[in-house]
């Protein structure tokens, strides 16, 4: 009874403060913590029951104390509670100032002579909140005109382009660390031990039955030789594992049961079989696959080396001629 804030407001506020703190300190992924972890929900229910019990006990004690007072003390207590608080008085005074109208008792001072079938008109000033808001819009309009039409600041189209470019850069940065967003265009061979170990687990759980534990092949082709049915290299292998092999007789598509990261891991792991010697290797199938991108890189390096050698020879010849002269 003696609380300024009623319990039906106080209890929910305290409860949701506790819920917010739990959500802040508990990392639960995309969903709220109490949905991801049932133990959190039980804890919050227990907290709510404790708060309700405390409010019930406090309310009962207040009633007991109130009933123990004599009539005079009860009257003083009730009259004190009936008085408006300082906050209430301040809110009402502030509202009247913002409204800017005369009290009913003083409306006789601002009644106009107009009379329409007994309906009279008051000469109230514009409410201060409306008047100051109108002045604020004028100031804003002037600043806006000077900034965007005189000083030619970035308009909404330029700002959109800037923010779009920043968002694209943020997406690209995120993709570098978010391995599970990998696809056929962005996949690269993984060399970290953790990724290869994860790929080995996927291989042993799903691929051993057809390719054997050492990659020598059985129902599926040999993974240790240079022959590939649908192309070698990380991109082709990733596509084959994801989309499946040849129609009707090839490997099933694993994209429905494996995440992109798992496909990249198992693809990187099975490429480790290249050049190894299995116990019972299956005969080669497909064609010898050559990494054209690697060849083009090597050829470019060779050309650069030849060009550098030629330049060195030309410089040496020029130096010899100059010394002879």
């Amino acid at each position: 009874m003696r609380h300024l804030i009623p319990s039906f407001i106080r209890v929910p506020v305290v409860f949701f403060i506790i819920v917010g703190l739990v959500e802040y300190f508990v990392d639960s992924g995309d969903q709220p913590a109490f949905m991801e972890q049932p133990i959190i929900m039980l804890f919050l229910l227990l907290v709510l029951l404790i708060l309700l019990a405390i409010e019930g006990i406090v309310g009962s004690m207040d009633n007991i104390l109130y009933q123990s007072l004599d009539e005079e003390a009860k009257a003083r207590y009730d009259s004190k509670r009936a008085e408006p608080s300082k906050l209430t008085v301040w809110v009402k005074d502030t509202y009247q100032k913002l409204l800017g109208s005369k009290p009913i008792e003083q409306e006789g001072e601002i009644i106009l002579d107009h009379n329409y079938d007994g309906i009279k008109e008051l000469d109230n000033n514009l409410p201060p909140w409306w008047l100051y808001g109108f002045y604020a819009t004028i100031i804003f309009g002037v600043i806006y005109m000077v900034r965007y039409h005189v000083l030619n600041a970035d308009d909404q189209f330029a700002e959109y382009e800037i923010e779009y470019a920043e968002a694209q850069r943020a997406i690209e940065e995120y993709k570098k660390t978010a391995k599970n967003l990998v696809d056929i265009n962005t996949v690269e061979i993984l060399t970290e031990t953790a990724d290869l170990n994860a790929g080995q687990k996927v291989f042993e759980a799903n691929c051993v039955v057809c390719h054997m534990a050492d990659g020598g092949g059985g129902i599926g082709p040999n993974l240790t030789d240079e022959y590939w049915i649908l192309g070698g290299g990380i991109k082709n292998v990733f596509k084959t594992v994801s989309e499946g092999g040849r129609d009707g007789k090839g490997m099933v598509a694993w994209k429905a049961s494996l995440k992109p990261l798992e496909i990249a891991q198992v693809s990187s792991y099975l490429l480790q079989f290249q050049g190894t010697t299995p116990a019972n290797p299956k005969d080669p199938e497909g064609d010898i696959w050559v990494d054209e991108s690697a060849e083009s890189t090597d050829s470019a390096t060779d050309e650069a080396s030849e060009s550098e050698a030629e330049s060195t020879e030309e410089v040496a010849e020029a130096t010899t001629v100059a010394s002879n002269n």
Side-chain angles (χ1 to χ4, degrees):
M1 291 180 60
R2 288 180 284 179
H3 293 295
L4 295 177
I5 303 176
S7 60
F8 65 84
I9 295 177
R10 192 165 58 251
V11 171
V13 168
V14 175
F15 176 72
F16 283 112
I17 288 174
I18 296 173
V19 172
L21 291 173
V22 170
E23 288 295 332
Y24 180 80
F25 288 106
V26 177
D27 185 9
S28 59
D30 297 332
Q31 292 185 327
F34 65 88
M35 294 181 64
E36 287 284 344
Q37 305 178 34
I39 189 68
I40 299 294
M41 182 173 64
L42 294 176
F43 167 75
L44 294 176
L45 289 176
L46 179 61
V47 169
L48 179 59
L49 292 175
I50 292 174
L51 290 175
L52 293 175
I54 292 173
E55 287 296 325
I57 294 172
V58 172
S60 299
M61 292 179 63
D62 280 347
N63 287 327
I64 293 171
L65 292 173
Y66 180 77
Q67 295 301 327
S68 65
L69 299 175
D70 56 25
E71 294 301 325
E72 184 179 353
K74 288 181 180 179
R76 288 198 305 269
Y77 180 77
D78 293 338
S79 62
K80 185 176 181 180
R81 286 182 56 84
E83 295 177 0
S85 63
K86 293 181 179 180
L87 177 62
T88 303
V89 174
W90 179 82
V91 170
K92 287 184 177 180
D93 291 343
T94 304
Y95 174 75
Q96 289 297 331
K97 291 178 181 178
L98 290 175
L99 196 60
S101 59
K102 289 278 188 179
I104 295 178
E105 296 81 5
Q106 302 177 13
E107 285 185 350
E109 303 174 5
I110 55 174
I111 293 179
L112 297 176
D113 295 334
H114 305 158
N115 191 324
Y116 304 95
D117 296 331
I119 301 174
K120 297 181 179 181
E121 183 180 359
L122 297 177
D123 189 20
N124 271 318
N125 295 323
L126 288 171
W129 65 267
W130 190 96
L131 190 61
Y132 297 144
F134 178 66
Y135 292 155
T137 58
I138 294 175
I139 295 172
F140 175 82
V142 172
I143 295 174
Y144 186 92
M145 182 184 68
V146 172
R147 176 174 173 80
Y148 291 101
H149 296 282
V150 177
L151 301 179
N152 294 321
D154 293 336
D155 58 13
Q156 58 185 350
F157 298 103
E159 290 178 354
Y160 169 78
E161 294 294 336
I162 293 172
E163 292 184 5
Y164 182 81
E166 292 177 352
Q168 288 296 115
R169 286 194 294 270
I171 291 173
E172 295 302 322
E173 289 296 324
Y174 175 72
K175 284 183 177 180
K176 292 179 181 179
T177 57
K179 294 182 179 179
N180 222 22
L181 295 179
V182 67
D183 57 22
I184 183 62
N185 298 313
T186 60
V187 64
E188 294 180 357
I189 190 166
L190 304 175
T191 57
E192 295 182 7
T193 303
D195 290 320
L196 295 177
N197 290 340
Q200 181 179 3
K201 292 180 180 179
V202 175
F203 184 85
E204 292 175 350
N206 302 284
C207 312
V208 167
V209 66
C210 293
H211 295 282
M212 300 301 166
D214 58 4
I219 299 174
N222 186 348
L223 300 175
T224 66
D225 57 33
E226 298 178 348
Y227 291 82
W228 294 88
I229 298 173
L230 297 175
I234 187 62
K235 292 186 181 297
N236 289 321
V237 174
F238 181 93
K239 181 179 179 181
T240 303
V241 176
S242 176
E243 305 296 332
R246 295 164 293 175
D247 294 336
K249 58 180 179 179
M251 180 178 64
V252 299
W254 288 97
K255 61 183 179 182
S257 54
L258 295 179
K259 297 178 181 179
L261 174 58
E262 292 175 324
I263 296 176
Q265 289 170 336
V266 71
S267 300
S268 300
Y269 172 74
L270 66 85
L271 286 174
Q272 304 297 309
F273 290 125
Q274 289 284 284
T276 61
T277 305
N280 298 302
K282 188 178 180 180
D283 293 337
E285 298 178 82
D287 302 315
I288 294 179
W289 182 81
V290 178
D291 190 351
E292 296 180 355
S293 61
E295 279 193 345
S296 61
T297 303
D298 293 340
S299 62
T301 303
D302 294 341
E303 290 178 0
S305 300
E306 292 177 1
S307 176
E308 183 178 355
E310 291 176 358
S311 300
T312 304
E313 291 178 359
E314 291 175 357
V315 171
E317 290 177 0
T319 303
T320 302
V321 171
S323 62
N324 292 335
N325 292 334

